[in-house]
Amino acid sequence: SSGIFAAYGEFQTYQHYFIQINLSSRMVKKELVEKVGSSLMRPNPFSEVTFAIEDSTCPLFVDNSKTTYRLSHKAGLKWYITDQCLLRMCESETAVFSFESTPGEAHTLTITLLSFTQAAEVWEMTVVEQHSLAMELKALGTELFRAKEFSLAAEKYGTALKVLISDGCRAGVQDAHVEKVQSVRSNLALCFQKIRSPDGILHHCNSLLTDTKHPLVDTALLVKVLYRRAWAWCEINEFEKCRGDVEAVLELDGGNCEALKLRTVMEGKVKDNNREMSSKLRGLFRSS
């Protein structure tokens, strides 16, 4: 979609793709151990849950006391894994989950979901509740970003964006709301830059820069978005597009050090590509 309020289904598909690609080593696999009762209901992403850790080979899970918290509302790898486990469980169920805390480091976690309170779905919340939830998730994303957990930060920002999109579709578009959506998309683009994923950067930057109904009016934010897209173009060797965005940044901020540095990197890559092409052409002529 070209607008910041992209189709909800499109965003869900995109977010699923992102999580599979960038958090694939942290996906959990479930093996049922015991289930008491017949309920098949599971918590939703914002439910309040009570659970107990029965056993774990992972040092992240050393406390096996009963814990109550709201899903999606804690930052860190431990809580991301816990969320993923509990979302796959029914009440009064015990299961063993296998996962990798870091690539190549396999662990198991035995967990019992004692009880949960089903939270309202996003579309069932009031506008005030949606806004509050989105800002909490954004704050968690920022906390994770500062801890250099860039993929986990992007997952929180992505959920915040989904909530804001739902909020905006129902509440009508207001300037303050647009600015929040733009800020979260920019943060997502930065996370993708940190994990070197040009496709993710282009997705969010293009959404911001091609939205004619809600253009970026904050010059500082516009400079950031243009720079991040230029970086992505350079990564995939789209040098003319990169040059265009770099020049746009420098028109707005002539002394932007990052843009000047990127232009130097881009020019070096252009020269390398030209040398490689010339070498290949010479090889073709010699062989003919």
Side-chain angles (χ1 to χ4, degrees):
S1 171
S2 61
I4 58 172
F5 297 105
Y8 192 71
E10 177 270 337
F11 184 78
Q12 284 184 311
T13 300
Y14 174 74
Q15 188 186 42
H16 174 73
Y17 165 80
F18 161 70
I19 292 172
Q20 290 291 342
I21 295 300
N22 292 290
L23 292 174
S24 58
S25 66
R26 291 167 176 179
M27 290 291 106
V28 296
K29 297 178 181 179
K30 175 184 173 184
E31 179 182 338
L32 181 63
V33 175
E34 180 183 11
K35 176 167 170 42
V36 179
S38 58
S39 174
L40 297 177
M41 286 192 64
R42 294 181 176 181
N44 69 22
F46 309 113
S47 294
E48 184 175 277
V49 298
T50 300
F51 69 96
I53 303 295
E54 308 295 342
D55 186 38
S56 178
T57 63
C58 179
L60 289 172
F61 300 93
V62 294
D63 182 7
N64 62 356
S65 61
K66 184 169 71 173
T67 304
T68 300
Y69 82 113
R70 190 178 178 191
L71 293 176
S72 306
H73 278 65
K74 286 185 178 288
L77 178 57
K78 171 185 175 179
W79 296 107
Y80 174 79
I81 294 169
T82 304
D83 282 355
Q84 296 305 307
C85 293
L86 293 170
L87 284 168
R88 290 161 170 76
M89 299 185 73
C90 301
E91 193 169 62
S92 301
E93 185 175 277
T94 299
V96 176
F97 292 89
S98 56
F99 60 92
E100 293 183 358
S101 57
T102 57
E105 188 177 344
H107 291 287
T108 60
L109 172 66
T110 305
I111 189 168
T112 298
L113 176 56
L114 300 169
S115 63
F116 68 90
T117 302
Q118 196 67 286
E121 298 287 353
V122 171
W123 56 85
E124 297 173 323
M125 297 178 185
T126 66
V127 172
V128 173
E129 289 171 336
Q130 288 177 336
H131 175 266
S132 176
L133 174 60
M135 292 303 97
E136 287 178 37
L137 292 166
K138 183 185 177 187
L140 287 169
T142 300
E143 182 181 338
L144 287 162
F145 185 89
R146 288 171 178 165
K148 302 188 185 303
E149 284 281 5
F150 303 121
S151 292
L152 294 176
E155 191 266 338
K156 292 297 182 196
Y157 286 139
T159 307
L161 180 58
K162 186 162 62 174
V163 173
L164 285 169
I165 288 172
S166 176
D167 181 2
C169 289
R170 186 175 67 174
V173 178
Q174 300 175 354
D175 289 346
H177 185 89
V178 169
E179 289 170 6
K180 290 181 177 66
V181 174
Q182 291 174 339
S183 174
V184 172
R185 277 202 185 275
S186 175
N187 290 352
L188 272 164
L190 180 57
C191 289
F192 279 114
Q193 185 178 350
K194 292 294 186 181
I195 59 178
R196 306 193 75 84
S197 175
D199 288 345
I201 298 170
L202 293 173
H203 175 88
H204 289 290
C205 290
N206 284 335
S207 291
L208 291 168
L209 294 167
T210 61
D211 184 9
T212 56
K213 290 184 178 180
H214 312 103
L216 289 165
V217 295
D218 182 333
T219 301
L221 183 59
L222 177 58
V223 165
K224 290 177 182 177
V225 173
L226 283 167
Y227 168 77
R228 287 165 193 163
R229 189 172 71 171
W231 185 93
W233 289 135
C234 188
E235 282 291 291
I236 60 175
N237 295 340
E238 290 281 0
F239 300 124
E240 287 306 311
K241 292 178 180 178
C242 175
R243 183 177 285 108
D245 280 346
V246 167
E247 294 306 319
V249 169
L250 294 174
E251 283 182 19
L252 295 166
D253 180 8
N256 189 290
C257 295
E258 290 183 325
L260 291 168
K261 186 185 297 184
L262 179 60
R263 184 168 63 182
T264 300
V265 170
M266 177 198 67
E267 289 170 351
K269 290 184 74 173
V270 169
K271 289 179 181 177
D272 289 343
N273 279 12
N274 288 342
R275 287 193 201 97
E276 185 179 347
M277 183 63 69
S278 297
S279 176
K280 287 180 179 178
L281 288 173
R282 285 195 296 271
L284 284 173
F285 286 128
R286 289 194 192 100
S287 61
S288 60

